[in-house]
Amino acid sequence: MRLRRKVTIAFFLVSALISVLLTYFLYTFIKRQLRSELETRLRDIALIGSRIVDKGAYANLAAQIGGEFDEKNSSSFEHASPDYRVLFDQLNVIRGTEPDLIRYTYLLIPTDDPNNPRYIADADAIDPDYKGEISHFNQPYDVSEIPLLKQALLDCTPQLEPDFVYDKEFDVYSVSGYFPIGGTKGHCTGVLGVDITDKNMISALDRASRLALEISLIALAIALLVSITLSTVLTRSLTALSTTVTRFANKDFAARTTIRSRDEIGQLGANFNEMAATIQEHSDNLEHLVEVRTEQLADEKQKSERLLLNVLPGPIAERLKTSDGVIVDKFEAVSVLFADIVGFTALSSRTTPEALVTMLDELFSAFDQLAEKHGLEKIKTIGDAYMVVSGIPDPRPDHAESIARMAIDMLGELHAYAKRQGTDLTIRVGINTGSVVAGVIGRKKFIYDLWGDTVNTASRMESHGVAGRIHVTQATYELLRDEFEFEARSPIEIKGKGTMQTYLLVGERCTQSSSRSFASS
């Protein structure tokens, strides 16, 4: 629901509630005032009426009260008696003073039974046009449930009913006034009763209700108009700001709101305009910033890729980026090479750490280039030891040939380095062929490594080898003997393997054009 509609409804509901309450209080006030006025007029009419009753005619009729009530005889007496005619006319004069209000006027005389006084006269008894029930002369009237009338007859005091009461005899609700026409307490001459029925009162209240309803409807109409006007005025600034924000959200960064007031909403609009100006300024340079950041991100990604590829083989690095599981593979046919610098411990004791590290960096960097040249995968270096494998992570049928050529080139590279530096450095090289398990170890500072008997045996070939020579197992020899020359060694005892027949690789077999061996270099 839109804000303006909410404000309109809120104002209207509040105004409507106030209007209804005011109408209710107005109606209650009118009702109270009307009742007070009617009671005052009833009291005045009954008081004056009690004074104009002809005492002589009343006394004559009162002397004839008694015996059993006979409606037929009473009706005949009422029409024949001049005294009754006098009182009848006087009662109608009293009623005629307020014909729209006064319904009944009558005279009652007390009897020995306080609950059953008798009628002396009734304003309708001899009226030929009156069609209702008539209270005839000498007719008893049960006042046991009308305490104020009973009290007026006993105490000879004026009484006025505070509210409408039900009259079972005439089946009406009426409010009555009772005024004595003479006598004292306990010896009341009689009482004049004047009744105003509820129909007259309801008619007057209906008019008051209609007036209150009309006032209420007018107030509601005014409240609705005022609510619409106020909501429009109060939400005008917010509506303008909301429209501007919507434009701004749709990337119209030039959108600005009009400041219509200096209140909190106006201040909010001013703050928004300042913010929008700042964002627009940054937006104008956003494309350039995005290009710069994109280039920087690409550079960083390339660096990360290079670092990852320096640690892991390319296919393994891709698998690591897309998988959270353990990376492990088994390869049935690979060749593993271990190389170790001979006399490295003695050399390190007479060489500075800086020179020693520089030497290892130069040698192992040269070995890395050879591994890349022959398409091999460097696994790791441990101190002065160097490990490389052929046939991983992509299997290849010439894994033994490629690693043999790598070994020959390593001996040649070390010979050239020793010659340049004027040292007597040499290495032992061991090669074995077989199956291995390869995988990535750890989640931080991870490494790609090999496991299996093939790896252990290759390490034993290096440690039991000959300085400056390439020591291979029977499995490697069987794959290389047609293309390479070997020297058989006497069977030797290998830790964990027993007696083994091993060979020293001499070089590639001679061809018509050339021969390739580490000995010739």
Side-chain angles (χ1 to χ4, degrees):
M1 186 181 292
R2 299 180 64 85
L3 178 62
R4 180 171 295 178
R5 191 175 301 169
K6 290 181 180 179
V7 174
T8 301
I9 293 174
F11 271 112
F12 177 71
L13 290 177
V14 172
S15 302
L17 178 61
I18 294 174
S19 299
V20 169
L21 290 176
L22 288 176
T23 302
Y24 171 76
F25 289 131
L26 176 62
Y27 175 78
T28 304
F29 175 77
I30 292 174
K31 181 178 180 181
R32 187 168 54 249
Q33 290 296 109
L34 180 59
R35 177 170 293 172
S36 176
E37 180 182 352
L38 291 177
E39 289 175 351
T40 300
R41 294 167 71 179
L42 175 61
R43 183 185 300 109
D44 293 343
I45 291 170
L47 176 61
I48 295 171
S50 65
R51 297 291 189 269
I52 66 172
V53 172
D54 188 314
K55 301 300 188 293
Y58 182 87
N60 292 334
L61 293 175
Q64 301 182 53
I65 290 294
E68 294 295 328
F69 171 70
D70 186 330
E71 183 176 355
K72 184 177 180 181
N73 291 335
S74 294
S75 178
S76 299
F77 173 78
E78 290 166 353
H79 286 80
S81 171
D83 293 325
Y84 194 91
R85 168 62 67 176
V86 170
L87 295 181
F88 174 81
D89 292 338
Q90 290 177 345
L91 292 177
N92 278 285
V93 169
I94 295 171
R95 185 165 63 179
T97 58
E98 290 288 351
D100 294 332
L101 292 176
I102 300 174
R103 180 67 179 272
Y104 303 111
T105 56
Y106 47 88
L107 290 169
L108 290 172
I109 185 171
T111 64
D112 294 338
D113 183 358
N115 291 323
N116 287 283
R118 292 181 180 259
Y119 280 100
I120 293 292
D122 187 307
D124 299 310
I126 57 176
D127 185 354
D129 297 326
Y130 186 74
K131 304 301 182 182
E133 185 175 352
I134 298 172
S135 301
H136 288 288
F137 173 74
N138 199 33
Q139 178 181 342
Y141 180 40
D142 184 4
V143 298
S144 59
E145 296 182 8
I146 310 176
L148 290 181
L149 176 53
K150 182 178 179 180
Q151 184 177 351
L153 290 166
L154 291 174
D155 297 342
C156 207
T157 56
Q159 300 292 334
L160 187 66
E161 291 178 346
D163 204 350
F164 288 92
V165 296
Y166 183 65
D167 189 331
K168 290 190 296 184
E169 183 176 356
F170 297 101
D171 191 26
V172 293
Y173 284 91
S174 62
V175 60
S176 304
Y178 310 109
F179 278 76
I181 59 174
T184 59
K185 183 177 181 180
H187 301 284
C188 187
T189 303
V191 169
L192 170 67
V194 180
D195 295 353
I196 299 178
T197 64
D198 59 344
K199 294 181 180 179
N200 303 96
M201 183 70 173
I202 289 173
S203 177
L205 288 177
D206 284 343
R207 290 193 296 272
S209 298
R210 285 195 294 272
L211 175 61
L213 180 61
E214 292 171 357
I215 294 174
S216 178
L217 291 176
I218 293 173
L220 289 176
I222 294 174
L224 180 59
L225 292 175
V226 171
S227 299
I228 294 174
T229 303
L230 285 177
S231 64
T232 301
V233 173
L234 293 177
T235 61
R236 183 173 52 186
S237 298
L238 278 176
T239 302
L241 179 59
S242 176
T243 302
T244 304
V245 171
T246 301
R247 289 174 53 200
F248 195 83
N250 292 328
K251 299 183 179 181
D252 182 4
F253 297 129
R256 298 293 185 273
T257 186
T258 303
I259 309 301
R260 300 179 181 274
S261 61
R262 296 186 179 183
D263 54 11
E264 289 82 354
I265 297 177
Q267 184 61 44
L268 179 62
N271 293 339
F272 172 81
N273 287 343
E274 293 178 4
M275 179 193 70
T278 303
I279 292 177
Q280 185 181 16
E281 181 179 353
H282 286 286
S283 175
D284 293 339
N285 299 320
L286 185 59
E287 279 191 33
H288 175 67
L289 291 175
V290 170
E291 291 177 359
V292 172
R293 295 294 185 269
T294 302
E295 291 178 1
Q296 292 175 348
L297 182 60
D299 292 341
E300 292 297 326
K301 184 177 180 181
Q302 290 178 359
K303 289 180 183 178
S304 299
E305 292 286 346
R306 287 196 297 269
L307 289 174
L308 189 61
L309 292 176
N310 284 335
V311 176
L312 301 174
I316 302 301
E318 290 299 323
R319 287 171 61 186
L320 185 65
K321 288 189 290 184
T322 58
S323 174
D324 294 331
V326 176
I327 296 178
V328 59
D329 300 293
K330 185 175 182 180
F331 298 89
E332 296 295 339
V334 301
S335 293
V336 182
L337 179 151
F338 277 91
D340 187 75
I341 298 175
V342 178
F344 180 78
T345 302
L347 178 64
S348 63
S349 65
R350 63 177 184 269
T351 306
T352 64
E354 292 81 2
L356 192 65
V357 171
T358 300
M359 178 194 71
L360 289 176
D361 178 65
E362 187 174 345
L363 282 175
F364 287 169
S365 295
F367 292 166
D368 289 343
Q369 291 177 359
L370 291 176
E372 185 175 355
K373 170 186 172 183
H374 292 288
L376 309 184
E377 192 66 43
K378 173 187 173 182
I379 299 302
K380 60 185 173 181
T381 60
I382 305 174
D384 62 328
Y386 190 90
M387 179 182 178
V388 67
V389 63
S390 178
I392 291 178
D394 297 320
R396 54 187 295 181
D398 63 340
H399 56 87
E401 291 86 345
S402 61
I403 208 149
R405 294 185 180 98
M406 168 76 178
I408 294 172
D409 287 346
M410 288 175 70
L411 291 177
E413 185 67 37
L414 184 64
H415 179 75
Y417 178 81
K419 187 175 181 180
R420 288 194 309 270
Q421 299 297 327
T423 66
D424 56 354
L425 283 179
T426 185
I427 59 173
R428 288 190 303 270
V429 179
I431 300 176
N432 184 33
T433 299
S435 64
V436 297
V437 173
V440 177
I441 301 174
R443 289 295 180 267
K444 293 184 178 180
K445 297 184 179 179
F446 43 73
I447 184 172
Y448 186 68
D449 208 348
L450 308 180
W451 299 272
D453 184 66
T454 299
V455 179
N456 296 334
T457 303
S459 178
R460 296 289 187 271
M461 290 299 100
E462 179 272 318
S463 61
H464 289 73
V466 179
R469 303 297 297 273
I470 303 169
H471 191 201
V472 304
T473 62
Q474 180 74 33
T476 305
Y477 167 76
E478 295 294 338
L479 294 174
L480 297 177
R481 66 181 182 176
D482 293 337
E483 296 184 22
F484 291 83
E485 295 182 1
F486 292 92
E487 294 179 6
R489 296 187 70 183
S490 299
I492 58 176
E493 187 71 22
I494 301 297
K495 181 180 179 181
K497 300 293 290 183
T499 303
M500 292 182 65
Q501 175 64 54
T502 60
Y503 300 85
L504 294 175
L505 174 63
V506 176
E508 290 189 73
R509 290 188 180 278
C510 295
T511 63
Q512 293 181 352
S513 59
S514 64
S515 64
R516 188 168 182 267
S517 74
F518 67 89
S520 64
S521 62

